[in-house]
Amino acid sequence: MVQTRDNANAVELKLSPLFIPYSDVNFGKYRLLEHQAKLKDSKNRLIILNAPTSSGKTLGIISRIYESGKNAILVYPTNELIRDQANQIKNYLKSINVPVKLFIPPLEENEAHINSNSSVFNLFVFNSIILDEIMELLAEKAKEFNILLRAKGDVIKYLLMTMRGRKIILTNPDSIFLLSRAEYKHGFNLLRELRRANFSIIAFDEFHMYSGVALANMLISLRRIHQYFDQIIVSTATLPHTHVIEYLARFVDSEKDVFTFSPKVY
């Protein structure tokens, strides 16, 4: 509820607080809200979560990824959001006593070593600049596996081959667009490599920030790559236009595979 009071110089707004109910489900030290718990257990092919800003959409996505036992790609509109969310995701996973290795620039050589611990969650922050940095750091090490790191696709393939444990890639829409167009070396072979490496979930957080050309490019990218993933999650603070939802629904076999929901707000 919004109350207004006018005077000669200003307008005073009084906003009533909003309440989102909790569930009986916990994720580590976090008690999940109802919409987070629904997302955690949903096995629908396409999930569209419409929830207010700061209502824990990212925690819901991470709980779903953890529950699935699969690897995942998380797409954020900006590199600044990626950096911020990478550290937050690390804290979420640590709350359930999961060891986490975060690959985020600037990297030192000793930070880019190969992880042989199968119980670790590896968080990779990928964009073109970071892939170039990792390629330079690991060029000599990769030769031990008879791999020459000459392109960004080589770096991703190498890490998939050598890193043990669960994996989450955090990246931006430009990288997804290039991947969808086979701009990286290996092209669609790289998508198959991701599939073989158990990357079954792709999630688009802060989807409401896309508009115009950026939104069109993202939808085109999804059309090209959706078949490589078992589950697509779209998280947004404002429900997409009906035409966008209808377009996304084309990626699934039937309406039963689409789960669109918003939390109850009091």
Side-chain angles (χ1 to χ4, degrees):
M1 178 179 179
V2 179
Q3 297 177 354
T4 64
R5 186 172 64 189
D6 297 304
N7 59 40
N9 300 313
V11 176
E12 179 183 341
L13 296 177
K14 183 178 180 182
L15 303 178
S16 301
L18 301 178
F19 299 96
I20 300 176
Y22 281 96
S23 71
D24 296 325
V25 180
N26 290 326
F27 186 81
K29 68 179 182 180
Y30 300 97
R31 184 180 175 191
L32 298 183
L33 298 167
E34 284 187 351
H35 66 284
Q36 294 169 330
K38 285 183 180 180
L39 180 53
K40 174 178 176 289
D41 295 329
S42 177
K43 295 179 175 58
N44 296 75
R45 170 116 164 84
L46 172 63
I47 302 170
I48 301 174
L49 169 60
N50 172 36
T53 300
S54 300
S55 62
K57 295 187 290 294
T58 301
L59 176 56
I61 292 172
I62 295 304
S63 66
R64 174 66 206 134
I65 293 170
Y66 181 79
E67 184 75 12
S68 72
K70 308 293 186 181
N71 297 325
I73 298 176
L74 269 62
V75 185
Y76 288 93
T78 67
N79 290 332
E80 290 77 14
L81 267 175
I82 292 173
R83 287 175 176 270
D84 177 68
Q85 291 300 316
N87 287 293
Q88 186 60 62
I89 292 169
K90 181 178 180 179
N91 292 333
Y92 289 151
L93 292 171
K94 282 190 170 183
S95 76
I96 53 173
N97 298 316
V98 172
V100 179
K101 183 167 180 59
L102 176 59
F103 291 81
I104 189 170
L107 289 172
E108 300 295 337
E109 187 171 1
N110 64 342
E111 293 179 311
H113 69 277
I114 299 307
N115 167 44
S116 59
N117 186 346
S118 60
S119 65
V120 166
F121 241 104
N122 300 284
L123 302 183
F124 300 98
V125 176
F126 280 169
N127 59 36
S128 293
I129 296 174
I130 294 169
L131 288 172
D132 284 337
E133 181 180 343
I134 296 175
M135 180 163 52
E136 183 177 348
L137 285 171
L138 297 181
E140 292 302 316
K141 185 71 175 177
K143 291 179 181 178
E144 298 177 13
F145 294 86
N146 296 318
I147 297 176
L148 295 178
L149 301 185
R150 294 175 295 189
K152 296 177 179 66
D154 293 327
V155 176
I156 298 174
K157 185 176 181 180
Y158 170 64
L159 292 173
L160 293 177
M161 289 175 57
T162 56
M163 283 288 182
R164 299 185 65 189
R166 300 279 297 280
K167 304 173 186 70
I168 297 178
I169 293 174
L170 291 85
T171 191
N172 58 31
D174 290 340
S175 296
I176 295 299
F177 186 68
L178 291 173
L179 181 65
S180 74
R181 293 185 60 191
E183 294 289 339
Y184 291 133
K185 186 183 177 184
H186 304 301
F188 282 92
N189 287 331
L190 183 55
L191 284 166
R192 287 194 288 270
E193 293 288 345
L194 288 167
R195 178 69 179 180
R196 281 195 286 265
N198 212 21
F199 280 84
S200 299
I201 297 175
I202 186 167
F204 298 85
D205 208 353
E206 307 294 343
F207 196 79
H208 55 275
M209 294 181 65
Y210 297 105
S211 62
V213 173
L215 175 60
N217 285 341
M218 182 55 65
L219 294 175
I220 291 170
S221 299
L222 260 175
R223 185 187 66 191
R224 290 170 173 162
I225 69 175
H226 71 89
Q227 68 268 26
Y228 292 95
F229 300 93
D230 293 333
Q231 193 166 56
I232 302 166
I233 301 173
V234 173
S235 170
T236 177
T238 57
L239 194 64
H241 191 279
T242 302
H243 294 317
V244 175
I245 295 177
E246 290 174 350
Y247 187 88
L248 292 171
R250 296 178 185 177
F251 305 148
V252 299
D253 296 329
S254 71
E255 292 183 1
K256 293 180 180 179
D257 291 327
V258 182
F259 183 34
T260 303
F261 67 104
S262 302
K264 297 177 182 177
V265 179
Y266 300 99

